[in-house]
Amino acid sequence: MSIGRTAAKILVGGAAVLALSGAGQAYAGAGENLDSSVYGASAWSHGTNGQVAVKDTARDSHSVYTLYDRRYNTGLRLDNSKGYSYTVYSGMDEINYVRKVTACVNVQLSPDRCGPDDRPGDGI
């Protein structure tokens, strides 16, 4: 009977570890740095991911923007037309934290250039 009790304790302990690790992964997105860049633009959300930033990184006539998603909102856009080396920040909201960023360059009369999406846990 002692083998049965020991096995039961191991199973219960293992289930608890799996449950806790799964809960940790579900929340991991609220603290993982998110970064996206393309020639001319850089976008990021760091720390608690409460806000997103987009910076113009090229001396050209193109404005830049980031496409981003928050925990409760998708398809958001933050524009930066201030020019080279300027950074624009969104509002801060740590509850409705940023879940995806994509840096883009607004190319006049041509398709826009965008970097890769960065989402929590995607390895980018």
Side-chain angles (χ1 to χ4, degrees):
M1 277 293 198
S2 65
I3 293 175
R5 288 183 186 176
T6 303
K9 288 180 184 178
I10 291 171
L11 288 174
V12 170
V17 169
L18 287 175
L20 290 174
S21 64
Q25 288 176 352
Y27 184 73
E32 179 181 331
N33 291 341
L34 304 176
D35 298 278
S36 177
S37 62
V38 64
Y39 177 76
S42 183
W44 64 90
S45 183
H46 292 174
T48 60
N49 294 345
Q51 70 182 164
V52 68
V54 61
K55 181 176 184 175
D56 189 332
T57 60
R59 295 178 190 264
D60 57 21
S61 62
H62 304 303
S63 62
V64 299
Y65 61 95
T66 181
L67 300 173
Y68 67 105
D69 293 343
R70 287 189 174 270
R71 183 177 181 193
Y72 301 119
N73 310 95
T74 60
L76 301 170
R77 178 175 167 149
L78 177 66
D79 288 287
N80 180 353
S81 57
K82 293 183 178 243
Y84 173 70
S85 83
Y86 282 93
T87 303
V88 172
Y89 298 88
S90 70
M92 175 65 83
D93 187 348
E94 293 178 352
I95 301 299
N96 191 20
Y97 53 84
V98 178
R99 299 283 300 158
K100 180 202 78 141
V101 297
T102 307
C104 296
V105 177
N106 188 11
V107 182
Q108 298 86 351
L109 304 175
S110 294
D112 293 348
R113 274 191 321 269
C114 292
D117 296 343
D118 190 9
R119 293 179 169 86
D122 65 1
I124 293 178

